[in-house]
Amino acid sequence: SKNTAWTLSTDDTELTLAVASNTISLTSLRNSAQKWNWLPAPSQVPMPGAQTGKNYQTLNWEFREAGEDWTNGHQVTLRFTCAKPALELKSVWRAQPGPGPVENGMTIANKSGADVTFGPGIAAAGVDLVADGAVTLHRADKTAAGQGKVHQDVIGPNAKFGTGTSIIPLIILGVGSTHGAYLGFEWELGGFNVSSQADPLRMTASVHPITENVTRARGEVFLIPNVYYGTYQGDIDDGSNRFKRWFWNHKIPRSLHDNKDEPWVEVCMQEIGGKGNTSITGGTPQDAYGRLAATGAECVKMDFWDGSGKCWYNQRDWMFRPEIWPNGFDFAAKAHEAGLKASLYMGGTYNDCDLATIAGRDAELEAVLTRYDKGWFDMWRTDLYTAPREPMPQTYQGVANFLYIHDQMIKNRPGYRYENCCNGGKYKGFAICQRMTFCTMNDRDNNAAETRTTYFANTYAINPVQLKSDLGPATTAYDLRTDMLGSILTWAADNPIYRQHIALYKTRQRPILRGGNVYHILPIADGTNWDGLQFHNPDLDQGSVFLFKPSAKAVDGDSKIIRLKGLDRKATYALAFQDRVNLNCSRTGAQLMDEGITVSGMAGDRASEIIWIEGPAARSVPPTSR
């Protein structure tokens, strides 16, 4: 390419970059409909320095060439070299069809004869932004267990904000409900810095995913995790939905994207009525599996404990004990015979191997692969317990090696699935979201309101199909409707309410969630007052509203006006209430969004309702052909 400037565009984001004086600058970042340029002055993309011997040095990068490719969206690759030490840098910029951000990834190959060390000072991105109105900085906690949390701050003069690994790596900069910009990055480690000048509309935002020294030997490549640059029109929900739609279209595992019966409804493998402590041994009869399958569940999970009160494997070897499984390890075989999938806990690291090393990586991959090939599981469930080092990656090399294990499994075993647990929901970066079916979202398994706080916070960044409710009790509509906000894991249950809601989830809610939008129409759950979420899938023109009134003490009482979002103002929607069918109605999008609808009759404690929404496109399809 002879060009020195390039514009990459998605449906939402238009980014112009230029190369001059051996550096990359971003010269424009805007939403083409909005026209506001967040980068009125060129903003230099950080070029990494390195350490050779004891000295840190800025590197003398020289621009060599640009390549342009249109086979998978629009991709621009910029190549730079450094003479001392001999290094080659590639900065790859990509815009894909549909909504969403422009993505940038950078690699540096060590072509010198010696080790080169890259330090934690490296920024993957740094931009000087200017807004056209007061900016709200929005980000959300990952939350391992307990209360979910969203952080929202209006950026004032001379402000400073920093995030660490407890925050999902996406920050949204919203200008009221008109438009905004966002930055994301792929890995678990590191965070963002955001600061403003005396004029609070002038801000600097930077991305710092490298948290330690990383040394690369001759011939090795240093990877800087990808960064996402996005703009959008509308409010923060609109921006977050455009981002999640891009992730659904291009990033989420293809197994989840392409299979309409995923994510599977998961249940703890035990006799019905069990409370989450796995009670399964080789002596568990086949009909225990059959009874679970008959409820509508699709996947059984075998956790840490077995029915003898110990971890199902010895020490760290991921190997069953013959005295507990006299006929061999037939957990998955019995699940398959009942028509179920099997998720198997193998936590820590295999035999305490060190995942920060290539030898450890390869030993763990081999252990997972051989057990998968023996038919022991369909889905691997990991956890943080019991390993001395890196059971869930906490160093640069640990992350790289853990992702490599999943990439090899996904590439070579199409049936393989990954269930991400990390002593709860500690591990929610976008790199793992590209490889997992779902994660343990919140390890508190008996509190519906806390589960909903996590759905509220996490769904700004992560598609709800990947956020698994671990809420155990499965006997009330209130609990089961909490489960239906994302993917589901419950204790073993069989009752009419359970069967009804699992069937509703599979036939109605799961299709809406697959690539659908999420609207935060009520405040985050507080355990007393009304809370709820709205979902809408534009491909199906169908949606749902899940409403909860936890306590008779709710300030709004038994009746509340609910205003919807994200609908076509001119279209007419049919609303069908799951319980309060006397409230069924048809309204235009404008009426539903401006005036709202009154939901009444939510009496007492733990009241709930589902409202199913059908748009004109959904109703024009005869029911039999869906």
Side-chain angles (χ1 to χ4, degrees):
S1 174
K2 296 281 188 283
N3 292 356
T4 54
W6 301 263
T7 297
L8 296 104
S9 300
T10 69
D11 288 357
D12 299 316
T13 306
E14 186 183 282
L15 179 78
T16 302
L17 53 113
V19 175
S21 309
N22 295 310
T23 56
I24 308 169
S25 290
L26 304 183
T27 58
S28 175
L29 174 65
R30 62 179 201 155
N31 175 284
S32 56
Q34 190 71 26
K35 300 286 192 249
W36 178 256
N37 182 12
W38 289 81
L39 298 171
S43 192
Q44 282 197 7
V45 174
M47 299 290 275
Q51 214 159 332
T52 43
K54 292 202 167 113
N55 303 322
Y56 176 82
Q57 60 180 98
T58 54
L59 297 172
N60 189 15
W61 293 108
E62 291 185 63
F63 178 58
R64 292 299 176 194
E65 63 182 348
E68 219 165 346
D69 185 355
W70 296 86
T71 48
N72 185 0
H74 180 197
Q75 185 167 295
V76 174
T77 302
L78 306 175
R79 191 170 73 85
F80 294 78
T81 59
C82 171
K84 277 205 272 197
L87 303 170
E88 180 180 65
L89 180 151
K90 284 183 181 163
S91 182
V92 180
W93 298 80
R94 186 153 129 202
Q96 286 175 293
V102 173
E103 184 178 15
N104 173 229
M106 197 179 277
T107 56
I108 302 172
N110 181 5
K111 306 211 158 180
S112 76
D115 288 0
V116 177
T117 298
F118 300 94
I122 287 175
V127 280
D128 297 319
L129 302 168
V130 180
D132 59 344
V135 169
T136 299
L137 172 64
H138 185 286
R139 64 267 184 227
D141 280 9
K142 291 176 180 170
T143 304
Q147 199 73 17
K149 190 167 182 195
V150 168
H151 305 264
Q152 296 195 92
D153 297 277
V154 177
I155 298 179
N158 302 310
K160 274 191 169 53
F161 301 95
T163 74
T165 53
S166 66
I167 298 284
I168 298 173
L170 180 74
I171 54 169
I172 307 176
L173 303 161
V175 182
S177 57
T178 58
H179 75 123
Y182 58 84
L183 273 178
F185 69 92
E186 268 190 0
W187 279 25
E188 295 299 329
L189 310 175
F192 299 92
N193 288 326
V194 179
S195 60
S196 64
Q197 298 178 19
D199 173 359
L201 302 186
R202 295 184 169 273
M203 299 154 289
T204 299
S206 55
V207 174
H208 302 274
I210 312 297
T211 51
E212 74 218 84
N213 281 333
V214 179
T215 299
R216 285 291 174 260
R218 179 183 181 179
E220 291 184 336
V221 174
F222 173 58
L223 173 112
I224 297 175
N226 287 14
V227 176
Y228 312 143
Y229 298 83
T231 58
Y232 64 90
Q233 272 195 310
D235 66 8
I236 281 169
D237 269 348
D238 296 315
S240 108
N241 282 325
R242 302 293 281 183
F243 172 77
K244 290 195 297 285
R245 181 69 171 192
W246 169 79
F247 203 89
W248 171 259
N249 287 340
H250 302 292
K251 294 287 187 181
I252 220 161
R254 293 301 92 178
S255 57
L256 179 54
H257 181 275
D258 296 345
N259 290 303
K260 289 187 164 55
D261 63 345
E262 295 189 35
W264 304 319
V265 173
E266 195 176 44
V267 64
C268 295
M269 181 58 228
Q270 57 205 160
E271 296 285 351
I272 282 167
K275 286 285 190 289
N277 287 334
T278 308
S279 53
I280 172 181
T281 66
T284 301
Q286 180 65 45
D287 74 344
Y289 294 80
R291 285 198 298 275
L292 289 174
T295 67
E298 296 163 311
C299 177
V300 285
K301 176 202 72 163
M302 175 158 171
D303 216 326
F304 180 92
W305 307 102
D306 70 18
S308 71
K310 295 181 183 165
C311 178
W312 73 265
Y313 49 84
N314 281 311
Q315 302 299 322
R316 318 277 204 259
D317 62 2
W318 298 356
M319 185 56 71
F320 69 93
R321 297 195 300 282
E323 67 274 19
I324 304 297
W325 299 87
N327 303 316
F329 190 59
D330 60 0
F331 157 61
K334 283 178 172 172
H336 294 159
E337 193 173 322
L340 295 162
K341 301 292 187 181
S343 177
L344 180 63
Y345 175 98
M346 292 185 288
T349 59
Y350 171 66
N351 275 336
D352 286 351
C353 66
D354 183 353
L355 271 199
T357 65
I358 299 297
R361 175 197 82 180
D362 291 348
E364 179 143 309
L365 173 59
E366 180 65 18
V368 176
L369 191 60
T370 53
R371 284 155 183 74
Y372 181 82
D373 285 346
K374 282 178 185 167
W376 285 12
F377 64 94
D378 303 292
M379 181 179 272
W380 174 28
R381 174 186 170 93
T382 55
D383 212 339
L384 195 59
Y385 292 114
T386 70
R389 293 201 54 181
E390 297 285 344
M392 293 296 282
Q394 290 159 66
T395 63
Y396 178 95
Q397 203 53 52
V399 173
N401 288 339
F402 191 66
L403 297 178
Y404 174 89
I405 290 169
H406 292 297
D407 289 341
Q408 292 302 306
M409 292 299 299
I410 290 164
K411 189 167 97 186
N412 297 305
R413 298 294 185 272
Y416 168 81
R417 304 289 184 269
Y418 172 52
E419 176 177 349
N420 164 19
C421 180
C422 180
N423 294 15
K426 288 181 184 154
Y427 208 64
K428 289 173 181 157
F430 297 116
I432 210 66
C433 287
Q434 289 177 49
R435 293 156 172 93
M436 72 184 189
T437 294
F438 44 50
C439 65
T440 297
M441 181 181 65
N442 189 326
D443 228 5
R444 195 74 56 82
D445 68 355
N446 56 6
N447 187 314
E450 282 187 346
T451 298
R452 294 199 303 278
T453 64
T454 329
Y455 273 124
F456 183 96
N458 287 179
T459 50
Y460 281 103
I462 300 171
N463 281 276
V465 283
Q466 293 193 295
L467 297 167
K468 175 168 57 71
S469 168
D470 276 55
L471 188 63
T475 56
T476 67
Y478 179 83
D479 286 323
L480 286 157
R481 289 169 186 180
T482 297
D483 294 325
M484 290 170 70
L485 302 176
S487 50
I488 299 176
L489 166 66
T490 65
W491 300 336
D494 189 11
N495 58 71
I497 293 173
Y498 179 85
R499 288 195 179 210
Q500 176 200 18
H501 284 86
I502 295 306
L504 273 177
Y505 177 77
K506 287 156 69 173
T507 58
R508 302 203 71 168
Q509 175 70 350
R510 182 165 61 188
I512 291 166
L513 291 178
R514 290 175 45 81
N517 293 323
V518 183
Y519 295 98
H520 299 76
I521 52 171
L522 289 173
I524 193 166
D526 64 7
T528 303
N529 294 297
W530 288 60
D531 69 271
L533 292 170
Q534 175 196 339
F535 305 93
H536 187 255
N537 190 312
D539 296 336
L540 304 176
D541 204 11
Q542 291 177 325
S544 57
V545 179
F546 281 69
L547 298 172
F548 302 89
K549 196 208 75 177
S551 166
K553 301 187 178 119
V555 293
D556 291 309
D558 301 346
S559 172
K560 186 170 173 62
I561 294 171
I562 305 294
R563 288 182 181 84
L564 303 189
K565 292 178 73 175
L567 304 176
D568 177 347
R569 295 187 68 80
K570 295 195 179 89
T572 300
Y573 294 86
L575 273 58
F577 285 69
Q578 186 62 37
D579 298 338
R580 296 158 184 85
V581 292
N582 58 305
L583 299 177
N584 289 0
C585 60
S586 287
R587 296 279 186 279
T588 65
Q591 288 173 310
L592 292 169
M593 294 191 289
D594 299 344
E595 298 155 33
I597 42 162
T598 300
V599 178
S600 57
M602 295 269 280
D605 294 328
R606 291 167 60 85
S608 65
E609 181 62 274
I610 308 172
I611 309 169
W612 303 106
I613 306 167
E614 292 230 322
R619 294 196 304 281
S620 69
V621 180
T624 50
S625 67
R626 276 191 206 153

